[in-house]
Amino acid sequence: MNRARAFTIAETILATFILSIVMMTLFNIFPTSSMAVKKAEVRLRADNLAQSALEEYRSRGFDSLVLDTIDDLGTSEAGGVRYSTTITTSAGTNALLKRLVAEVSWEFQGKTEQVRHETWIADIEAK
Amino acid sequence: MRYGDKGSSIATALLLGALAVTLAFTLAGISFTHLNISNRLSNCLYARNLAEASLNDAIARILYSEGGYGNTGTPDEKTIQVYFEGAPEGAEGLLTFDSGKAAALEIAVSTHNLENKEAAIPGYGRDVPPECIHLVGTGRCNGVVERIEVMLAIPTYKHAIAATGKFTSTTGGMEVEGVESPEDLADGIITEEESRPGHIAANGVDDDAVWLKGTGGSVRITGDVRTRGRVKIEGDVTVLGSLLEQADPADIPRIDPGGYDPGNSALPVGAAPGDLEVTGALRNNGPLMNVDELKLSGGYLFVDGDLVISQGIVGEGIVIATGDITLLGEGALEADKAVALVAGGNLTIDGDGKDASYFEGIVYSGGERLDIKEATVLGALIGSGEQTNVKAEDARIVHADTEVLQFEWFYEASWGAGTYGFNTRINPDLWLPREGEIRAEYARRPGIADEGPAWAPADRPPWANWFNQSTERFEYVVYTLDDPYEETAGWNPPIIHEATPPAGETRPAIYYKNDVGWVARYDFDGDGDPEEPPLLQFTAGGAEISRTRARDLYTQGIADDIAAGREPAPYPFETQERLGFLNDSPHPANGFLVDCFRLADIIAQNDDSIQEGFIRFDPNRFLQFAKKTRIVMWRPLQ
C-alpha cells in the first residue's frame, strides 16, 4: 500500500516534470516556428513583388527601358510589413540585351532583409 | 484501484506528453514544410529567371550576329553561362549549341537550322523547321531545374509582289510564280517541277486591298495572297496558296535611293544623242527626261530627279532615281540582269509584252504607285512608300532567290588630278550604325560579345564618335586600323586605311588617295564645290551631322529622316565591313566629332585605278534582322 502511495507521488512528480519539459519545449518551438513561418511568408511576398516588378518592366518593351537608371517604385504594405522596391536597368552583354534587377527590402524583427531578382531582356518584338 | 490510479496518472502524463510532442513535431513539420516550399518557390524563380536570361542572351547574340551565333565557333563560344549577383551559390543559367558541351553540362542542346531553307532537322525533343533556331535554356538553383524552349523563326523574303498599299490586277493575264534558279525561266517556261510559290503581300486595309480580276485572261498565282484588308476576286483567278485576309502586315523592304548617290563621280559615259550607255557610275545632277535607250554595260546610273526612258533598258547594271522612273515605248525592256530599278517616287513600266520585255532584279518604288504592264520581272516587285499601290496588268512576276539580285562589277574611277578611290561595295549596309554599341562587337571578334576590346587603350587607333540622339549615347566607329590584328587571335578584318590624323586634329575630314599617297582634306563650308572633297555638314535633330557624297561614307541615317520629317527608318544593322569600337576615353560634349573618314577599302589600296566590288539588292538585306525575327514558341519544357 505504502509503495503504492509512494509511486503515486513519484509518478505525479515525474509526470509534472515530463509535462513541464514537454510544454516548455512546445512553448519554445511554437514562437520560433510561428516566426519562421511568418518570415517565410514575408520573404515569399517579397519574391512575388520583385517578380511582379520585373514582369511589369518587361512588358513595357525593350526600347522604353532606359539604361543606367534606378527606379524607386515606392513602398507597399502587406501583413504589417512595409516593402520598398527598386528596379535597376543596365546594359547587357551587347546592345540588344538589357538587364533588369528588382530589389525588394523590408524590416523584420528590427533587421533589414532584401531579395534580389534579375532578368535579361533581348530586343525582339513578341509576335 | 490504486494501481489503476497510479497507472492512470503516469499514463495520462505520458499521453499528454506524447500529444504535446506530436503537436510540437507537427508544428515543426509544418514550419519546415512551409519554409521548404517557400525556399523552393524562391529557387524556382531564380532558376526560371536564369533560364530566361540565358535564352535572352542567346537571342540577343543571334540578332547581333544576324543569325550567325550558334552556327559556328568553338564549343565554348557556342555556350552561354549566366550568373546573377546575389543568387544562391551555384545558381546558373545555361544554353549551348554544342552537343558535347550539352552532355558535359547535362543540359539540352539547342539547334541552329537557319541556313537550311528546305528541310527540318532533329532538335531536342522536336524537329526544327527550316529557317528556324530552337533554343533550350536551363536554369539551376539549389537542385531546382527549370527548362524553357524557344523557337525563333527568321523567314527570308519570299514575296514576288509586295505593296504597302493596295495591289490591283484587273485586266487579266497576270501570272505570279516562283523559281529556285533563274535558269528555270530561261526558256520562258516553268515546268511543274520547277515551279515554286510566288506570293503577294499588300498591307492595305481596304476591302479591295488585293483586287484580282481574271476577265480578259486568267490570273494565276502559285503562292499565298496576304493582306491586312480583304481580297476581292472576280473572273478566272487561280490562287494555289492561301488567301490570308486581315493578316498581320508583311515586312516590306525600304530602300533609300539617296544612299546610293555616287557623288561627284565624273566617270566614263559613252552617250550618243538620245541614247545613253553607262559603263561606270554616272550621276545626273537633276532630272533626265530624254533618254531613248539606256544601255547598261555593267554600269550604274544615278539620277537626282525624274528619269524617263522611252525605248527601254538593255544590258546589266543599276538604275536609281530619287524621283519618278518611267519606262515607256516601243523599245524592249531587255535588261539581262539589271539587278535594280529603284525609284524614290513613282515607277511605271510599260513593256511590249510578257515575252518581249524582260527585267531581272528588284523593281522598287518609294512613291505612291508602281505600275507594270506587259512585261516579265524575275526577282521582286516592291512598292514601299508610305502607302504605295502596285498595279500589274498582263504581267508576269517570278520570284527568285538572291542570285539574280547580285552581280560583280568593275569600273575605272578617276576624279580630279589624282586617283580617287571609291568603295564600290554598294549595299544597304553602307549605313553607319544607329547604335554604336553594336559595332563594338565587330571591333572585337565577330560573334564574340564577351571578350574585351581588341586594342589596349594606348594602342587604340583613331576613331570617330557622335552623339546618338535616340540612345543618348556617344557611339564610335574606327576608321584607321594600325595592326591590331595580332592581338585578336586570328580575326583579320580588311585594313581600311593606314593614314593617321595629324596630332590634335579633330576637324571633319576625308582621306583620299592621290598620286602622292593618302591625303587628308577638310571642308567646312559644304558648298558642294567639286574641287573640294565631297563632305557636307549640317545640323538635324539638334545634332551636327557630317555626310559625304561618296558612297560608303554615309555617316548617318537618322538625320535624313528627321530632315524630311519622317520617322527614322529601321536601317539594317551593319555587317562586319563596318568596324565599331567602344572607346572609353573622355568624350567631347559637342555632339558630333569625326576625326577621319575612310575613302577606300582594301581593294582600292591594292589598285590605284580599277575598282571592283559587287552590288547586291537582296530584299532580305533591307529588312532589319531583329525586326523580321519572330518568336513562334516560348514554353516551359518538362
Side-chain angles (χ1 to χ4, degrees), chain B residues 436-634:
Chain B
E437 299 153 284
I438 293 174
R439 306 280 71 80
E441 168 97 349
Y442 299 129
R444 302 167 187 178
R445 288 163 56 194
I448 306 300
D450 296 333
E451 292 194 0
W455 296 280
D459 299 324
R460 284 175 182 161
W463 46 268
N465 72 341
W466 71 95
F467 190 75
N468 185 330
Q469 299 283 323
S470 64
T471 62
E472 298 184 342
R473 283 183 161 208
F474 283 97
E475 298 174 348
Y476 313 91
V477 169
V478 173
Y479 293 98
T480 304
L481 303 177
D482 44 3
D483 298 333
Y485 314 118
E486 290 82 357
E487 301 174 28
T488 59
W491 177 46
N492 291 303
I495 296 172
I496 294 172
H497 173 25
E498 294 175 345
T500 303
E505 181 57 70
T506 57
R507 289 176 297 170
I510 280 184
Y511 283 82
Y512 68 99
K513 199 173 186 180
N514 63 15
D515 296 333
V516 178
W518 289 101
V519 176
R521 292 287 299 274
Y522 302 92
D523 176 14
F524 292 103
D525 55 15
D527 61 1
D529 183 346
E531 295 303 315
E532 295 180 301
L535 175 68
L536 300 176
Q537 271 195 299
F538 55 94
T539 302
E544 290 180 22
I545 304 295
S546 285
R547 174 190 171 189
T548 73
R549 287 187 173 186
R551 293 192 303 278
D552 203 25
L553 293 175
Y554 222 98
T555 62
Q556 47 73 42
I558 306 168
D560 270 352
D561 289 330
I562 293 172
R566 58 181 185 251
E567 190 72 17
Y571 295 105
F573 294 136
E574 300 288 302
T575 65
Q576 281 88 335
E577 297 164 56
R578 294 291 183 172
L579 307 175
F581 184 63
L582 191 60
N583 188 315
D584 57 6
S585 58
H587 311 305
N590 63 350
F592 183 76
L593 179 68
V594 173
D595 291 316
C596 59
F597 282 123
R598 69 180 171 106
L599 198 55
D601 63 3
I602 189 168
I603 299 168
Q605 293 183 58
N606 289 341
D607 190 311
D608 285 343
S609 58
I610 302 299
Q611 311 296 307
E612 65 178 344
F614 70 88
I615 301 178
R616 182 176 61 184
F617 276 80
D618 176 0
N620 288 294
R621 303 297 303 161
F622 293 88
L623 294 170
Q624 193 176 20
F625 189 88
K627 298 294 181 191
K628 65 184 177 184
T629 302
R630 288 169 164 73
I631 296 174
V632 293
M633 180 183 69
W634 183 298

Side-chain angles (χ1 to χ4, degrees), chain A residues 62-63 94-97 121-127, chain B residues 56 58-68 114 152-155 251 429 435 438-439 442 570-574 620-632:
Chain A
F62 187 87
D63 290 338
N94 66 40
L96 301 178
L97 192 67
I121 299 174
D123 185 10
I124 184 168
E125 292 176 18
K127 292 177 184 173
Chain B
N56 277 293
I59 291 169
R61 293 183 194 213
I62 287 165
L63 299 179
Y64 211 59
S65 59
E66 299 203 341
L114 193 57
L152 289 182
I154 306 101
D251 292 328
D429 295 324
E435 295 187 61
I438 293 174
R439 306 280 71 80
Y442 299 129
Y571 295 105
F573 294 136
E574 300 288 302
N620 288 294
R621 303 297 303 161
F622 293 88
L623 294 170
Q624 193 176 20
F625 189 88
K627 298 294 181 191
K628 65 184 177 184
T629 302
R630 288 169 164 73
I631 296 174
V632 293

Side-chain angles (χ1 to χ4, degrees), chain A residues 1-14, chain B residues 1-7 9-10:
Chain A
M1 290 293 281
N2 285 340
R3 280 172 59 109
R5 276 195 300 272
F7 272 124
T8 304
I9 292 167
E11 283 168 3
T12 305
I13 291 168
L14 183 63
Chain B
M1 255 331 257
R2 284 186 185 275
Y3 281 113
D5 289 344
K6 279 192 300 184
S9 181
I10 195 162

Side-chain angles (χ1 to χ4, degrees), chain B residues 235-293:
Chain B
D236 183 8
V237 175
T238 304
V239 178
L240 297 182
S242 305
L243 289 180
L244 305 170
E245 296 180 298
Q246 297 184 313
D248 291 335
D251 292 328
I252 300 177
R254 190 170 175 189
I255 299 173
D256 179 3
Y260 296 88
D261 189 340
N264 300 301
S265 51
L267 297 170
V269 178
D275 292 341
L276 183 64
E277 179 178 359
V278 180
T279 56
L282 170 66
R283 183 186 202 278
N284 196 72
N285 300 319
L288 192 58
M289 311 293 281
N290 53 357
V291 179
D292 290 339
E293 181 184 79

Side-chain angles (χ1 to χ4, degrees), chain B residues 161 167-175 216 312-313 327-335 347-359 363 370-378 381 391-398:
Chain B
I161 300 172
F167 173 71
T168 309
S169 179
T170 55
T171 57
M174 186 189 67
E175 300 167 81
I313 301 175
L327 300 181
L328 293 172
E330 303 158 1
L333 179 68
E334 293 176 352
L347 195 149
T348 305
I349 296 175
D350 191 351
D352 269 359
K354 287 187 282 189
D355 296 331
S357 296
Y358 175 81
F359 185 92
V363 176
L370 192 169
D371 296 340
I372 182 167
K373 184 179 176 185
E374 295 184 26
T376 292
V377 170
L378 173 63
L381 207 63
K391 185 162 75 173
E393 295 179 358
D394 195 19
R396 187 181 197 189
I397 314 299
V398 183

